């Protein structure tokens, strides 16, 4: 066989293994319980490819093949959503996604390179170092990747009620570490069995896999029991949520006019809220992100002042505290905000605001360093909002004066573990997320966003009420269970009975997102220190020989 034919055959084999693993990952990325078991074997075809690499170039190629296959299989819905939002040509949207894949999925390259290096340098008796150090490098590299969707493989365990509880120790990346080691165990046992390496080489990785599985399930079962006991001691809240399923405000404004659109949005929310309040009194009423699509409290027109007065009148008349999404204006700086209005003493209203900090790049916020007329002209859909001051809690007074400290989040912020952990450290008792996922309506994105929200509740052991414009609005328990939801592309108003959980300590709240930087530091020391010591010993030995 000619060298060119041999290389082509090798490349085809690599692509086949990468595509096979990517297809398996795509199955468990659906977040359905029936596919959770695939998490333990999804990487085995790719590991088989990596075990056959003969040079760092081949390892690099294998990493790139999986990065592209993974991105296309798991995020294949994104180019269509980007095309719909920006009107950019669909092929260009696909090209942008795949071009960014090596940067966003850098962990596949470092994992492949380090694993190849270790296979050549680690002795047979210390084989366990290969999977452990490779997994630490993988998790550590994810701390450096600019991931738009904060995805990590361990999120595939979310449908498992018991295994996902491990996230309060080390977040979803702790589950990624478990998944990587589990796949290495399956691969090692299978390889030993096929090559007839003896019962010990087969049983050792199987035993490690069993320990991982039983340890995760056992810990999760214990934490679920703890949460249930804590919830039973507290009086629940009743929270009303409204999902009106009105989307694409800009398009509606162009067709109907801005005033008529705001009028329609508010009237719809008034009607849905009235119907809800007639059925049952609520402690707090919540409307979604940017539901009041203009500045509240600093009106820009007479019509804006009219809408402000109408909304405050609604709260006063119904005597119900309201949290809603709007814009907040300060000295010509505009913020995406959550505004709280509550009945005060002698007919007055209390008011407080939370400003969104973690803005989605370009669509909501453009860094000042690149914010130029040239960019705005070519990307007219870029946003003008400014960043808020960071994690903040809201101390609010509910119906009948009951105090409550909220951890407010707006849309994109719910994917950042450290951000939510900081609000928990500030004394939050309930996470409230206002979101607008309508740009991704009809794609897997709303379900993926809900999964992120679930992990934030597990990591902080706080219940969460999530309210969106078009879905998925939900009530999430402190164990990540979705207790109630309004599906994507539906209109509804619900009264949710929220089980309040007294503050349960978690490693994630105390230490934050600690695993990734720790894994990065440990793996770098493990890889670099032996080489440095060897060079120093070589220099010292050379000096004494010369003497």
């Amino acid at each position: 066989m000619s060298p060119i034919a041999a290389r082509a055959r090798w490349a085809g084999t690599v692509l086949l293994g990468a595509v096979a693993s990517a297809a398996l990952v795509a199955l468990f990325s659906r977040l359905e319980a029936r596919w959770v078991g695939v998490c333990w074997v999804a990487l085995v075809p790719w590991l088989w490819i990596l075990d056959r690499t003969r040079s760092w170039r081949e390892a690099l190629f294998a990493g790139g093949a999986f990065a592209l296959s993974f991105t296309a299989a798991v995020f294949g819905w994104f180019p269509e959503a980007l095309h719909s939002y920006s009107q950019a040509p669909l092929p260009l949207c696909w090209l942008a996604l795949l071009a960014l894949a090596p940067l966003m999925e850098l962990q596949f390259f470092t994992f492949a390179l380090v694993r190849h290096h270790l296979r050549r340098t680690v002795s047979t008796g210390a084989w366990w170092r290969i999977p452990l150090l490779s997994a630490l490098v993988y998790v550590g590299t994810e701390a450096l990747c600019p991931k738009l969707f904060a995805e990590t493989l361990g999120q595939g365990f979310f449908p498992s009620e018991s295994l996902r509880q491990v996230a309060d120790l080390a977040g979803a990346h702790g589950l990624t570490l478990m998944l990587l080691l589990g796949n290495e165990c399956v691969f090692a046992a299978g390889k030993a069995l096929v090559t007839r390496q003896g019962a010990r080489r087969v049983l050792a990785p199987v035993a490690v896999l069993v320990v991982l599985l039983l340890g995760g399930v056992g810990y999760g079962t214990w934490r679920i029991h703890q949460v249930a006991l804590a919830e039973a001691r507290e009086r629940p809240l009743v929270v009303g949520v409204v999902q009106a399923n009105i989307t694409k405000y800009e398009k509606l404004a162009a067709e109907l006019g801005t005033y008529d659109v705001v009028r329609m949005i508010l009237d719809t929310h008034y009607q849905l809220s009235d119907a809800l309040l007639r059925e049952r009194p609520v402690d707090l009423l919540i409307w979604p992100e940017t539901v009041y699509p203009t500045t509240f409290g600093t009106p820009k027109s007479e019509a804006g002042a009219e809408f402000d007065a109408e909304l405050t009148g609604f709260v006063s008349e119904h005597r119900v505290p309201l949290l809603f999404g709007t814009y907040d204006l300060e000295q010509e700086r505009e913020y995406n905000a959550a505004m709280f209005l509550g009945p005060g003493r002698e007919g007055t209203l209390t008011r407080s605001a939370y400003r969104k900090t973690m803005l989605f790049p370009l669509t909501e916020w453009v860094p000042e360093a690149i914010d130029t007329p040239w960019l705005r002209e070519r990307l007219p859909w870029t946003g003008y909002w400014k960043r808020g001051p960071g994690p903040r809690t809201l101390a609010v007074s509910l119906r009948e004066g009951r105090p409550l400290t909220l951890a407010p989040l707006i849309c994109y912020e719910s994917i950042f573990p450290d951000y939510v952990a900081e609000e928990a450290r500030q004394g939050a008792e309930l996470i409230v997320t206002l979101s607008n996922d309508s740009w991704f309506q009809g794609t897997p994105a709303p379900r993926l966003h809900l999964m992120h929200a679930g992990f934030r509740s597990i990591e902080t052991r706080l219940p969460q009420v999530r309210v969106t414009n078009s879905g998925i609005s939900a009530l999430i328990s402190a164990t990540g269970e979705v207790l109630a939801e309004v599906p994507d592309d539906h209109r509804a108003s619900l009264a949710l009975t929220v089980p309040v959980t007294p503050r349960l300590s978690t490693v994630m709240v105390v230490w934050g997102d600690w695993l990734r930087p720790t894994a990065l530091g440990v793996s770098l020391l493990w890889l670099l220190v032996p080489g440095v010591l060897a060079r120093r010993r070589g220099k010292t030995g050379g000096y004494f020989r010369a003497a």
Side-chain angles (χ1 to χ4, degrees):
M1 183 182 294
S2 68
I4 294 178
R7 284 196 293 270
R9 182 176 180 180
W10 161 251
T13 303
V14 170
L15 290 174
L16 184 63
V19 169
S21 278
L24 292 172
V25 172
L27 285 178
F28 71 70
S29 72
R30 296 179 181 181
L31 302 178
E32 299 173 6
R34 58 178 173 162
W35 299 118
V36 170
V38 178
C39 292
W40 298 108
V41 299
L43 300 185
V44 170
W46 189 51
L47 293 176
W48 177 74
I49 291 296
L50 294 181
D51 220 44
R52 296 163 61 89
T53 56
R54 296 162 297 182
S55 68
W56 67 267
R57 291 184 179 84
E58 290 185 353
L60 200 63
F61 180 77
F66 192 35
L68 292 173
S69 301
F70 170 88
T71 301
V74 176
F75 296 112
W77 51 267
F78 183 69
E80 182 63 41
L82 182 61
H83 164 69
S84 176
Y85 180 82
S86 67
Q87 299 304 307
L90 184 58
L92 181 62
C93 296
W94 265 105
L95 181 63
L97 178 68
L98 296 179
L100 288 172
L103 183 63
M104 294 190 296
E105 310 301 340
L106 183 63
Q107 73 278 1
F108 294 130
F109 293 91
T110 57
F111 180 86
L113 288 170
V114 168
R115 202 172 182 282
H116 170 73
H117 167 72
L118 294 174
R119 283 178 47 246
R120 295 171 57 246
T121 57
V122 171
S123 63
T124 304
W127 62 268
W128 55 269
R129 294 184 184 180
I130 299 175
L132 180 57
L133 184 50
S134 299
L136 289 173
V137 167
Y138 183 105
V139 172
T141 304
E142 288 199 308
L144 307 175
C145 299
K147 292 178 175 289
L148 287 179
F149 306 106
E151 85 284 348
T152 187
L153 292 173
Q155 291 163 347
F157 284 123
F158 185 74
S160 171
E161 183 181 13
S162 55
L163 286 175
R164 69 178 178 229
Q165 307 308 319
V166 176
D168 75 353
L169 296 175
H173 293 91
L175 293 171
T176 295
L177 188 65
M178 180 187 296
L179 182 148
L180 292 168
L181 294 176
N183 276 263
E184 289 277 16
C185 289
V186 173
F187 174 69
K191 180 181 177 182
L193 190 62
V194 170
T195 56
R196 300 180 181 179
Q197 296 179 22
R200 183 178 178 183
R201 292 299 297 271
V202 175
L203 294 177
V206 170
V208 174
L209 179 62
V210 170
V211 169
L212 286 173
L213 180 58
L214 294 183
V217 171
Y219 176 81
T221 302
W222 171 64
R223 287 299 261 174
I224 291 169
H225 179 66
Q226 272 195 322
V227 171
L229 290 177
E231 289 176 348
R233 294 194 295 265
E234 296 293 319
R235 180 165 65 91
L237 298 172
V238 180
V239 177
V241 303
V242 175
Q243 178 177 301
N245 201 27
I246 302 174
T247 63
K248 299 180 180 178
Y249 293 172
E250 293 82 0
K251 182 180 178 181
L252 290 174
E255 296 173 354
L256 305 176
T258 301
Y259 179 89
D260 287 339
V261 170
V262 177
R263 176 79 277 157
M264 177 185 67
I265 293 169
L266 289 179
D267 285 346
T268 303
H269 283 79
Y270 291 145
Q271 292 165 8
L272 290 170
S273 299
D274 284 338
L276 176 65
L277 295 173
R278 282 194 298 269
E279 293 179 4
R280 185 180 183 185
V282 300
D283 295 303
L284 175 65
L285 180 63
I286 307 177
W287 295 352
E289 180 188 12
T290 62
V291 67
Y292 191 83
T294 183
T295 55
F296 179 83
T298 51
K300 298 180 179 180
S301 65
E302 291 184 6
E306 172 190 327
F307 288 133
D308 281 7
E310 190 177 274
L311 189 54
T312 56
F314 174 84
V315 173
S316 297
E317 177 186 351
H318 291 79
R319 303 292 297 171
V320 59
L322 173 65
L323 185 70
F324 63 99
T326 185
Y327 308 159
D328 198 19
L329 186 65
E330 181 182 12
Q331 298 178 349
E332 298 184 357
R333 296 173 67 88
E334 199 165 287
Y335 301 87
N336 187 352
M339 190 72 64
F340 174 81
L341 290 179
R345 296 179 179 177
E346 299 178 356
T348 62
L349 289 181
T350 60
R351 171 181 160 188
S352 54
Y354 164 82
R355 294 170 174 175
K356 184 178 181 180
T357 298
M358 309 303 289
L359 301 172
F360 199 83
L362 295 183
T363 60
E364 291 188 314
W365 163 73
V366 177
E368 293 183 4
I370 62 171
D371 191 358
T372 62
W374 182 90
L375 179 72
R376 295 287 184 179
E377 181 181 350
R378 284 155 182 79
L379 302 177
W381 41 266
T382 49
Y384 286 90
W385 279 322
K386 303 303 180 182
R387 291 165 63 91
R392 296 289 188 275
T393 57
L394 278 180
V396 302
S397 182
L398 305 180
R399 184 175 58 90
E400 299 179 355
R402 181 178 177 180
L404 185 70
T405 302
L406 304 179
L409 302 172
I410 300 180
C411 199
Y412 194 52
E413 292 176 330
S414 66
I415 74 172
F416 298 99
D418 268 335
Y419 195 93
V420 187
E422 175 56 33
E423 292 186 333
R425 285 191 287 270
Q426 293 177 17
E429 300 168 271
L430 172 67
I431 300 172
V432 174
T433 301
L434 310 185
S435 191
N436 180 3
D437 293 341
S438 62
W439 309 112
F440 303 110
Q441 203 168 23
T443 75
R447 183 63 58 181
L448 294 173
H449 206 174
L450 179 65
M451 173 270 297
H452 278 288
F455 272 114
R456 302 299 85 81
S457 283
I458 294 168
E459 292 157 2
T460 59
R461 293 303 172 191
L462 292 175
Q464 180 174 175
V465 176
R466 188 169 187 272
V467 188
T468 70
N469 298 66
S470 60
I472 302 170
S473 299
L475 169 61
I476 304 171
S477 76
T479 63
E481 182 182 1
V482 179
L483 300 175
E485 69 173 68
V486 182
D488 189 24
D489 197 22
H490 281 67
R491 173 178 292 185
S493 57
L494 295 178
L496 305 175
T497 302
V498 182
V500 178
T501 307
R503 293 186 194 124
L504 295 174
S505 178
T506 73
V507 175
M508 283 293 289
V509 170
V510 176
W511 292 352
D513 189 14
W514 63 273
L515 179 61
R516 286 185 294 173
T518 302
L520 183 62
V522 168
S523 57
L524 286 175
L525 288 173
W526 201 343
L527 287 168
L528 298 179
V529 168
V532 172
L533 294 178
R535 283 194 294 272
R536 286 186 176 180
R537 284 196 297 268
K539 288 181 180 179
T540 304
Y543 171 80
F544 283 113
R545 282 195 300 272

